[in-house]
Amino acid sequence: MYWNREIETAGRNEIEKLQLDRLNRAIEGASKTSYYGKIFRENGVNASGIKSIKELSLLPFTTKNDLRLSYPDGMVAVARGEIVRMHASSGTTGKPTVIFYTARDISEWADLVARCMTATGTTRDDVFQNMMSYGLFTGGLGLHYGAERLGAMVIPSATGNSLRQIQLIQDFRTSVIHITPSYSLHLVEVIEQNGINPCDLGIKKAYLGAEPYSEETRTKIENQWGLDAYNSYGLSEMNGPGVAFECENKDGMHVWEDFYIPEIINPDTGETLPDGEEGELVLTHINREAMPIIRYRTRDLTRIIPEPCGCGRTHRRIERIKGRTDDMLIVGGVNVFPSQIESVLMKFPEVGNNYQIVLDRQNNLDRINIKVELYSKMFHGELKELKALNQRLVEELRALIVVNPRIELLEPGSLPPSTGKAVRVIDNRKI
Ligand code: AMP
Ligand code: ZN
């Protein structure tokens, strides 16, 4: 099922022709902003002078810091009267980064999100419960407008208030949910505590995104609810959700190439890498009037899947995000991604729905402590049983991440629950 078959299945030449056209328009728009105007002059970039998509790699990168430096409106390309909305990133340090949209930008974004939802088989007959934060964060309103464009019935339940979420699901027969993986894990726990089997609620699909999670967590969530879970990727700098989304094949996320030009670069050298190689995702927004952003360094690590997708869509896919360049932990000199730890934990049925990684340094030695909640149904409180589980976890983790972790097994509900983006890592090292 396609939302716009012509665009979604366009040939490579056609896509590149459209991209070149839109890229030149984006550069033209960007050169009107105070930020890019200056950068382009310094780098000798000629507005509308790009002759081929390959020349994109000659343009300078844009970083989150550049957005901060041009706060609040140094990257705005239209008159104030044209802007109808702003959002801001959830970044926890420093000034937020702010994104602006014209009425056309909002409408195009809604179309894009409707396309994503259609690619997973959702229709106007579905009831869509949007359990993402509404507000400056793009996850709530982004999916909301897309679902309305599709014609589904939207329940804007937002995050938290789990008992009310359950009530809404039951009373309105919700069929599709949008939720962070960490909140889903918590909500299932509340549902079970209330004597309900989540599978009996009849939810068919979940869109999981906004934070990194492993394939094992997807499988766990699918089994908990008895549904199909689709990976949803986006970032506020590129609108928000809708940048890349899984189709019914659930095998990597299609990046919508009529809106974005994806590149993979070596994060250390900035050099562009061929399709298939892993590196940092760089995105250029080529379909936003209010705020064109050129070669944005997402810090997210992934690779482009070169093979065509079985669904017939021609827009290239990216693999599940492995982590962020700035999330990578260096523990005792060894590189560790939180996602690697998660993939081991979630393989154990005894492990519950929440965990936390705490890093400490004692006598100049790094220590990695992993606090793991147990799953209530598997938890009998026998010391022997716990010791054995602890040992198995340590062994499996050591085999994968080399460093020797300390595991602390906790009763269900001991760690602070997450309703939005989870905080998984606490680094107490003073480096
Ligand atoms: P924000 O701009 O606050 O919405 O944050 C965007 C960031 O959230 C991205 O750059 C990713 O690091 C992360 N993110 C969003 N969706 C996913 C996803 N499906 N998988 C992994 N990370 C994600
Ligand atoms: Zn596909």
Side-chain angles (χ1 to χ4, degrees), residues 1 10 13-14 66 72 130 135 187 191 199 206 209 224 255 264 277 305 312 337 349-350 354 389 392 425:
M1 207 182 344
N13 282 342
E14 231 175 303
D66 296 330
N130 195 11
L187 184 58
I191 294 172
C199 293
Q224 285 176 328
V255 181
I264 299 289
E277 280 189 36
I305 303 171
F337 283 99
E350 299 93 332
N354 209 347
L389 173 62
R392 276 163 52 222
V425 181

Side-chain angles (χ1 to χ4, degrees), residues 145-165:
Y145 275 61
E148 282 190 356
R149 177 66 52 90
L150 178 66
M153 172 174 137
V154 184
I155 306 179
S157 60
T159 56
N161 205 339
S162 298
L163 292 178
R164 193 179 62 185
Q165 301 279 8

